[in-house]
Every structure is written in structure tokens, then in C-alpha cells.
Amino acid sequence: MGLFETTLSGSLRRTSHSHVVNELGREIVSGTIPIGSILPGDNELADRFKVSRTVLREAMKTLSAKGLIVPRARIGTRVTERKQWNLFDADVLSWHLERGFDRLFLIHLSEMRLSFEPSAAELAAKRATPENVRALLRIADEMSSAGTPEDLIRADLQFHLTVLQACENPFMYNVGSLIEAALVGAFGLSSPDRPSREFQEIGHSHHLIAEAISRRDPPAAAEAMRQVILIGRDHALGRVDGGKAPPEAD
């Protein structure tokens, strides 16, 4: 289940392992367990979560692989600095989303998207198959006619993932979780009564990307993608800032 579907349903995996990982991960990312602190000992954690030592060890390995903790001999398991966290990991992104967005996190997400999505659109304009193009045009139409914010953002996510797929670079597709996080943020900041005219405008802006890819125009595809990201960033930051428009990106 992706970030967006999890946000909609509020559901998570219910295994003992995932329960420990999710609870401790949330507490670390939210700051409930501060950076630099030492986690309680294995016996205390196993008792808290009512799990075996084996389950607990596997959960600790998972959190360590995500960069959130590091074991230290004779010291204990320490919470790492945020710069060591794997922000490409879907769980880590999800815990950030649950904590709530601030403008700096939104800016960082948009900066990452600007670093690779225009290039992905440019590659897609060179490599997209006819099936890719038809899918992009269809999804852009679905965005324009979406009935709810959930439908809009689900189609929006599918559009951007299709662009990544069309560029035929597996490294590009593997960063799709960042796009999903940005769109989940947009969902969280959106009013359920957003006007259909805004949906049509969003669909039109994505249609421009699809059309540029369709006519094999890499520079136009890259610029259309850049504008979509900037507009989405400005709308999201405007809500965070209470309507105040952010400065234009360099």
C-alpha cells in the first residue's frame, strides 16, 4: 500500500514486527524520542510491545536500515541525526507526513522534484511509447474531470509515475515515493470543496506535459513539468503561510 492509499484509509500492516517499527519510527521522526537519545533496553522494549526478543531484533534492524538508529557497543542504540535518515524510504516519508508539513519540508520536496522530474519529462519526450502517450493524455483528462480531491490526486500521482516509467530509466522510477509524498502533502492541505475549475486548470497544465511528450519536444516537456511543480509548490506554501505567496525559485 502506497503513501496516498495509506493516508486515505489510515490502515497499516498489523504484524508484530511492523507495529514495533511503526511506533518507534513515528516517535523518532516526531521528536518524541529525541535525536541523540539512547533507546530503552531490549527487555524494556520487548515488554512494552509484548513481542519476543527475535521480533524486536528484526525491528531494530529495519529501523537501522532506514538510518534512524545505530547500535553502539556498551552504549546502546542511539537515535541518529536527521541527515542520516533515508528520506527516500516510504515509511520514513509516511512518518513525516503524519507529523504534519512545515514550509521547509515542502520546499525541500519541491527542490528534489525540480532536480529530476523535468529531466524525466525530457527523456519521456524522447523515449515514450504510443501506449505511454495515450495513458498520459487519458490521465490528464481524468484530472480535469475529477469529482473529489482524492480522485484528482490519485490521477495526479499516476500521471507523474507514468512519466517516470516512460523515460525508461529505473533509477527515475525508484524515486516516485518523493512525488507521492509531495502529493499526499497537497491532499492533506486541500479543502474537500475545492472548485472543479481548479481541477480543470490542473488537468490542463498536465495536458501540456503530455502534449509536449506526444510531439517529441523535450525542452517543452521539461518546462511544462517545471511549471507544474512550481505552481503546486506555491499553492501548498500559500496554504501553509496563510495565503502569502512564496518567492519565485531561482
Side-chain angles (χ1 to χ4, degrees), residues 142-167:
E142 290 175 359
M143 293 172 69
S144 296
S145 60
T148 66
E150 294 94 329
D151 291 339
L152 173 69
I153 296 173
R154 187 178 285 108
D156 198 346
L157 173 62
Q158 188 58 48
F159 182 95
H160 288 275
L161 294 181
T162 300
V163 171
L164 296 184
Q165 188 174 44
C167 75

PDB file of all heavy atoms in Angstrom, residues 142-167:
ATOM      1  N   GLU A 142      -8.668  12.759 -17.026  1.00  0.00           N
ATOM      2  CA  GLU A 142      -9.296  12.317 -15.776  1.00  0.00           C
ATOM      3  C   GLU A 142      -9.088  13.345 -14.672  1.00  0.00           C
ATOM      4  O   GLU A 142      -9.976  13.555 -13.828  1.00  0.00           O
ATOM      5  CB  GLU A 142      -8.711  10.966 -15.349  1.00  0.00           C
ATOM      6  CG  GLU A 142      -9.110   9.806 -16.243  1.00  0.00           C
ATOM      7  CD  GLU A 142      -8.422   8.508 -15.856  1.00  0.00           C
ATOM      8  OE1 GLU A 142      -7.607   8.527 -14.897  1.00  0.00           O
ATOM      9  OE2 GLU A 142      -8.685   7.477 -16.503  1.00  0.00           O
ATOM     10  N   MET A 143      -7.941  13.992 -14.664  1.00  0.00           N
ATOM     11  CA  MET A 143      -7.685  15.019 -13.660  1.00  0.00           C
ATOM     12  C   MET A 143      -8.646  16.187 -13.826  1.00  0.00           C
ATOM     13  O   MET A 143      -9.166  16.723 -12.850  1.00  0.00           O
ATOM     14  CB  MET A 143      -6.238  15.494 -13.754  1.00  0.00           C
ATOM     15  CG  MET A 143      -5.223  14.427 -13.369  1.00  0.00           C
ATOM     16  SD  MET A 143      -3.516  14.904 -13.708  1.00  0.00           S
ATOM     17  CE  MET A 143      -3.325  16.200 -12.482  1.00  0.00           C
ATOM     18  N   SER A 144      -8.890  16.582 -15.072  1.00  0.00           N
ATOM     19  CA  SER A 144      -9.794  17.708 -15.339  1.00  0.00           C
ATOM     20  C   SER A 144     -11.224  17.414 -14.904  1.00  0.00           C
ATOM     21  O   SER A 144     -11.952  18.320 -14.493  1.00  0.00           O
ATOM     22  CB  SER A 144      -9.780  18.056 -16.833  1.00  0.00           C
ATOM     23  OG  SER A 144      -8.499  18.505 -17.236  1.00  0.00           O
ATOM     24  N   SER A 145     -11.609  16.153 -14.997  1.00  0.00           N
ATOM     25  CA  SER A 145     -12.998  15.786 -14.678  1.00  0.00           C
ATOM     26  C   SER A 145     -13.139  15.125 -13.306  1.00  0.00           C
ATOM     27  O   SER A 145     -14.203  14.583 -12.991  1.00  0.00           O
ATOM     28  CB  SER A 145     -13.549  14.842 -15.757  1.00  0.00           C
ATOM     29  OG  SER A 145     -12.773  13.664 -15.833  1.00  0.00           O
ATOM     30  N   ALA A 146     -12.087  15.174 -12.500  1.00  0.00           N
ATOM     31  CA  ALA A 146     -12.128  14.516 -11.193  1.00  0.00           C
ATOM     32  C   ALA A 146     -13.254  15.088 -10.332  1.00  0.00           C
ATOM     33  O   ALA A 146     -13.506  16.295 -10.321  1.00  0.00           O
ATOM     34  CB  ALA A 146     -10.790  14.687 -10.477  1.00  0.00           C
ATOM     35  N   GLY A 147     -13.924  14.204  -9.595  1.00  0.00           N
ATOM     36  CA  GLY A 147     -15.036  14.652  -8.778  1.00  0.00           C
ATOM     37  C   GLY A 147     -14.659  15.041  -7.361  1.00  0.00           C
ATOM     38  O   GLY A 147     -15.381  15.789  -6.704  1.00  0.00           O
ATOM     39  N   THR A 148     -13.520  14.532  -6.873  1.00  0.00           N
ATOM     40  CA  THR A 148     -13.098  14.804  -5.500  1.00  0.00           C
ATOM     41  C   THR A 148     -11.591  15.059  -5.478  1.00  0.00           C
ATOM     42  O   THR A 148     -10.877  14.652  -6.402  1.00  0.00           O
ATOM     43  CB  THR A 148     -13.393  13.604  -4.577  1.00  0.00           C
ATOM     44  OG1 THR A 148     -12.579  12.491  -4.977  1.00  0.00           O
ATOM     45  CG2 THR A 148     -14.867  13.218  -4.640  1.00  0.00           C
ATOM     46  N   PRO A 149     -11.094  15.705  -4.427  1.00  0.00           N
ATOM     47  CA  PRO A 149      -9.628  15.860  -4.305  1.00  0.00           C
ATOM     48  C   PRO A 149      -8.904  14.526  -4.301  1.00  0.00           C
ATOM     49  O   PRO A 149      -7.805  14.410  -4.842  1.00  0.00           O
ATOM     50  CB  PRO A 149      -9.466  16.596  -2.972  1.00  0.00           C
ATOM     51  CG  PRO A 149     -10.743  17.342  -2.782  1.00  0.00           C
ATOM     52  CD  PRO A 149     -11.808  16.453  -3.362  1.00  0.00           C
ATOM     53  N   GLU A 150      -9.506  13.496  -3.680  1.00  0.00           N
ATOM     54  CA  GLU A 150      -8.870  12.190  -3.663  1.00  0.00           C
ATOM     55  C   GLU A 150      -8.696  11.650  -5.077  1.00  0.00           C
ATOM     56  O   GLU A 150      -7.630  11.122  -5.429  1.00  0.00           O
ATOM     57  CB  GLU A 150      -9.695  11.201  -2.834  1.00  0.00           C
ATOM     58  CG  GLU A 150      -9.753  11.529  -1.360  1.00  0.00           C
ATOM     59  CD  GLU A 150     -10.980  12.360  -0.999  1.00  0.00           C
ATOM     60  OE1 GLU A 150     -11.447  13.142  -1.842  1.00  0.00           O
ATOM     61  OE2 GLU A 150     -11.473  12.209   0.136  1.00  0.00           O
ATOM     62  N   ASP A 151      -9.752  11.765  -5.905  1.00  0.00           N
ATOM     63  CA  ASP A 151      -9.670  11.299  -7.288  1.00  0.00           C
ATOM     64  C   ASP A 151      -8.615  12.088  -8.066  1.00  0.00           C
ATOM     65  O   ASP A 151      -7.863  11.528  -8.868  1.00  0.00           O
ATOM     66  CB  ASP A 151     -11.027  11.448  -7.990  1.00  0.00           C
ATOM     67  CG  ASP A 151     -12.069  10.484  -7.442  1.00  0.00           C
ATOM     68  OD1 ASP A 151     -11.685   9.463  -6.832  1.00  0.00           O
ATOM     69  OD2 ASP A 151     -13.272  10.757  -7.627  1.00  0.00           O
ATOM     70  N   LEU A 152      -8.587  13.395  -7.830  1.00  0.00           N
ATOM     71  CA  LEU A 152      -7.619  14.245  -8.526  1.00  0.00           C
ATOM     72  C   LEU A 152      -6.193  13.827  -8.195  1.00  0.00           C
ATOM     73  O   LEU A 152      -5.352  13.651  -9.089  1.00  0.00           O
ATOM     74  CB  LEU A 152      -7.834  15.706  -8.142  1.00  0.00           C
ATOM     75  CG  LEU A 152      -6.782  16.683  -8.669  1.00  0.00           C
ATOM     76  CD1 LEU A 152      -6.874  16.823 -10.179  1.00  0.00           C
ATOM     77  CD2 LEU A 152      -6.909  18.039  -7.990  1.00  0.00           C
ATOM     78  N   ILE A 153      -5.892  13.670  -6.909  1.00  0.00           N
ATOM     79  CA  ILE A 153      -4.512  13.393  -6.515  1.00  0.00           C
ATOM     80  C   ILE A 153      -4.117  11.970  -6.881  1.00  0.00           C
ATOM     81  O   ILE A 153      -2.968  11.706  -7.226  1.00  0.00           O
ATOM     82  CB  ILE A 153      -4.314  13.693  -5.023  1.00  0.00           C
ATOM     83  CG1 ILE A 153      -4.544  15.193  -4.791  1.00  0.00           C
ATOM     84  CG2 ILE A 153      -2.921  13.302  -4.562  1.00  0.00           C
ATOM     85  CD1 ILE A 153      -4.551  15.605  -3.346  1.00  0.00           C
ATOM     86  N   ARG A 154      -5.062  11.048  -6.851  1.00  0.00           N
ATOM     87  CA  ARG A 154      -4.757   9.691  -7.297  1.00  0.00           C
ATOM     88  C   ARG A 154      -4.367   9.704  -8.779  1.00  0.00           C
ATOM     89  O   ARG A 154      -3.378   9.068  -9.182  1.00  0.00           O
ATOM     90  CB  ARG A 154      -5.957   8.773  -7.063  1.00  0.00           C
ATOM     91  CG  ARG A 154      -5.667   7.308  -7.352  1.00  0.00           C
ATOM     92  CD  ARG A 154      -6.873   6.439  -7.066  1.00  0.00           C
ATOM     93  NE  ARG A 154      -7.086   6.230  -5.646  1.00  0.00           N
ATOM     94  CZ  ARG A 154      -8.068   6.777  -4.939  1.00  0.00           C
ATOM     95  NH1 ARG A 154      -8.932   7.603  -5.516  1.00  0.00           N
ATOM     96  NH2 ARG A 154      -8.198   6.523  -3.660  1.00  0.00           N
ATOM     97  N   ALA A 155      -5.120  10.454  -9.601  1.00  0.00           N
ATOM     98  CA  ALA A 155      -4.783  10.569 -11.022  1.00  0.00           C
ATOM     99  C   ALA A 155      -3.473  11.340 -11.221  1.00  0.00           C
ATOM    100  O   ALA A 155      -2.659  10.996 -12.078  1.00  0.00           O
ATOM    101  CB  ALA A 155      -5.926  11.250 -11.778  1.00  0.00           C
ATOM    102  N   ASP A 156      -3.288  12.383 -10.407  1.00  0.00           N
ATOM    103  CA  ASP A 156      -2.063  13.181 -10.480  1.00  0.00           C
ATOM    104  C   ASP A 156      -0.840  12.291 -10.236  1.00  0.00           C
ATOM    105  O   ASP A 156       0.167  12.334 -10.969  1.00  0.00           O
ATOM    106  CB  ASP A 156      -2.129  14.296  -9.439  1.00  0.00           C
ATOM    107  CG  ASP A 156      -1.154  15.429  -9.703  1.00  0.00           C
ATOM    108  OD1 ASP A 156      -0.242  15.262 -10.529  1.00  0.00           O
ATOM    109  OD2 ASP A 156      -1.307  16.490  -9.075  1.00  0.00           O
ATOM    110  N   LEU A 157      -0.898  11.474  -9.199  1.00  0.00           N
ATOM    111  CA  LEU A 157       0.201  10.562  -8.893  1.00  0.00           C
ATOM    112  C   LEU A 157       0.440   9.598 -10.055  1.00  0.00           C
ATOM    113  O   LEU A 157       1.589   9.373 -10.458  1.00  0.00           O
ATOM    114  CB  LEU A 157      -0.112   9.792  -7.614  1.00  0.00           C
ATOM    115  CG  LEU A 157       0.867   8.672  -7.254  1.00  0.00           C
ATOM    116  CD1 LEU A 157       2.263   9.225  -7.014  1.00  0.00           C
ATOM    117  CD2 LEU A 157       0.373   7.923  -6.020  1.00  0.00           C
ATOM    118  N   GLN A 158      -0.632   9.043 -10.602  1.00  0.00           N
ATOM    119  CA  GLN A 158      -0.490   8.102 -11.705  1.00  0.00           C
ATOM    120  C   GLN A 158       0.138   8.776 -12.919  1.00  0.00           C
ATOM    121  O   GLN A 158       0.960   8.168 -13.627  1.00  0.00           O
ATOM    122  CB  GLN A 158      -1.848   7.506 -12.076  1.00  0.00           C
ATOM    123  CG  GLN A 158      -1.760   6.369 -13.085  1.00  0.00           C
ATOM    124  CD  GLN A 158      -0.890   5.232 -12.586  1.00  0.00           C
ATOM    125  OE1 GLN A 158      -1.034   4.780 -11.450  1.00  0.00           O
ATOM    126  NE2 GLN A 158       0.027   4.755 -13.409  1.00  0.00           N
ATOM    127  N   PHE A 159      -0.196  10.036 -13.143  1.00  0.00           N
ATOM    128  CA  PHE A 159       0.395  10.769 -14.267  1.00  0.00           C
ATOM    129  C   PHE A 159       1.911  10.864 -14.107  1.00  0.00           C
ATOM    130  O   PHE A 159       2.672  10.547 -15.028  1.00  0.00           O
ATOM    131  CB  PHE A 159      -0.218  12.171 -14.358  1.00  0.00           C
ATOM    132  CG  PHE A 159       0.285  12.981 -15.520  1.00  0.00           C
ATOM    133  CD1 PHE A 159      -0.425  13.012 -16.713  1.00  0.00           C
ATOM    134  CD2 PHE A 159       1.465  13.715 -15.442  1.00  0.00           C
ATOM    135  CE1 PHE A 159       0.036  13.744 -17.799  1.00  0.00           C
ATOM    136  CE2 PHE A 159       1.936  14.451 -16.516  1.00  0.00           C
ATOM    137  CZ  PHE A 159       1.214  14.466 -17.700  1.00  0.00           C
ATOM    138  N   HIS A 160       2.354  11.305 -12.943  1.00  0.00           N
ATOM    139  CA  HIS A 160       3.787  11.513 -12.741  1.00  0.00           C
ATOM    140  C   HIS A 160       4.558  10.195 -12.738  1.00  0.00           C
ATOM    141  O   HIS A 160       5.681  10.129 -13.251  1.00  0.00           O
ATOM    142  CB  HIS A 160       4.024  12.298 -11.454  1.00  0.00           C
ATOM    143  CG  HIS A 160       3.620  13.731 -11.566  1.00  0.00           C
ATOM    144  ND1 HIS A 160       4.443  14.706 -12.072  1.00  0.00           N
ATOM    145  CD2 HIS A 160       2.450  14.352 -11.256  1.00  0.00           C
ATOM    146  CE1 HIS A 160       3.818  15.863 -12.063  1.00  0.00           C
ATOM    147  NE2 HIS A 160       2.610  15.676 -11.571  1.00  0.00           N
ATOM    148  N   LEU A 161       3.960   9.142 -12.189  1.00  0.00           N
ATOM    149  CA  LEU A 161       4.616   7.843 -12.233  1.00  0.00           C
ATOM    150  C   LEU A 161       4.697   7.311 -13.659  1.00  0.00           C
ATOM    151  O   LEU A 161       5.672   6.639 -14.026  1.00  0.00           O
ATOM    152  CB  LEU A 161       3.881   6.842 -11.334  1.00  0.00           C
ATOM    153  CG  LEU A 161       3.924   7.127  -9.838  1.00  0.00           C
ATOM    154  CD1 LEU A 161       3.165   6.047  -9.065  1.00  0.00           C
ATOM    155  CD2 LEU A 161       5.358   7.232  -9.324  1.00  0.00           C
ATOM    156  N   THR A 162       3.698   7.624 -14.482  1.00  0.00           N
ATOM    157  CA  THR A 162       3.728   7.206 -15.884  1.00  0.00           C
ATOM    158  C   THR A 162       4.831   7.937 -16.644  1.00  0.00           C
ATOM    159  O   THR A 162       5.489   7.348 -17.510  1.00  0.00           O
ATOM    160  CB  THR A 162       2.357   7.453 -16.547  1.00  0.00           C
ATOM    161  OG1 THR A 162       1.353   6.710 -15.848  1.00  0.00           O
ATOM    162  CG2 THR A 162       2.360   7.010 -18.004  1.00  0.00           C
ATOM    163  N   VAL A 163       5.043   9.213 -16.318  1.00  0.00           N
ATOM    164  CA  VAL A 163       6.158   9.940 -16.934  1.00  0.00           C
ATOM    165  C   VAL A 163       7.486   9.275 -16.565  1.00  0.00           C
ATOM    166  O   VAL A 163       8.356   9.058 -17.422  1.00  0.00           O
ATOM    167  CB  VAL A 163       6.165  11.418 -16.498  1.00  0.00           C
ATOM    168  CG1 VAL A 163       7.455  12.112 -16.963  1.00  0.00           C
ATOM    169  CG2 VAL A 163       4.957  12.158 -17.068  1.00  0.00           C
ATOM    170  N   LEU A 164       7.652   8.940 -15.288  1.00  0.00           N
ATOM    171  CA  LEU A 164       8.883   8.276 -14.859  1.00  0.00           C
ATOM    172  C   LEU A 164       9.056   6.937 -15.564  1.00  0.00           C
ATOM    173  O   LEU A 164      10.164   6.571 -15.963  1.00  0.00           O
ATOM    174  CB  LEU A 164       8.878   8.069 -13.352  1.00  0.00           C
ATOM    175  CG  LEU A 164       8.883   9.321 -12.465  1.00  0.00           C
ATOM    176  CD1 LEU A 164       8.972   8.918 -10.993  1.00  0.00           C
ATOM    177  CD2 LEU A 164      10.025  10.257 -12.823  1.00  0.00           C
ATOM    178  N   GLN A 165       7.967   6.212 -15.724  1.00  0.00           N
ATOM    179  CA  GLN A 165       8.029   4.929 -16.417  1.00  0.00           C
ATOM    180  C   GLN A 165       8.390   5.125 -17.882  1.00  0.00           C
ATOM    181  O   GLN A 165       9.178   4.361 -18.453  1.00  0.00           O
ATOM    182  CB  GLN A 165       6.684   4.217 -16.295  1.00  0.00           C
ATOM    183  CG  GLN A 165       6.685   2.784 -16.808  1.00  0.00           C
ATOM    184  CD  GLN A 165       5.356   2.111 -16.526  1.00  0.00           C
ATOM    185  OE1 GLN A 165       4.287   2.698 -16.719  1.00  0.00           O
ATOM    186  NE2 GLN A 165       5.407   0.881 -16.049  1.00  0.00           N
ATOM    187  N   ALA A 166       7.844   6.181 -18.499  1.00  0.00           N
ATOM    188  CA  ALA A 166       8.069   6.418 -19.925  1.00  0.00           C
ATOM    189  C   ALA A 166       9.510   6.819 -20.231  1.00  0.00           C
ATOM    190  O   ALA A 166       9.977   6.630 -21.353  1.00  0.00           O
ATOM    191  CB  ALA A 166       7.112   7.496 -20.433  1.00  0.00           C
ATOM    192  N   CYS A 167      10.218   7.362 -19.250  1.00  0.00           N
ATOM    193  CA  CYS A 167      11.592   7.772 -19.522  1.00  0.00           C
ATOM    194  C   CYS A 167      12.550   6.584 -19.541  1.00  0.00           C
ATOM    195  O   CYS A 167      13.715   6.729 -19.912  1.00  0.00           O
ATOM    196  CB  CYS A 167      12.062   8.837 -18.543  1.00  0.00           C
ATOM    197  SG  CYS A 167      12.442   8.235 -16.889  1.00  0.00           S
TER     198      CYS A 167
END
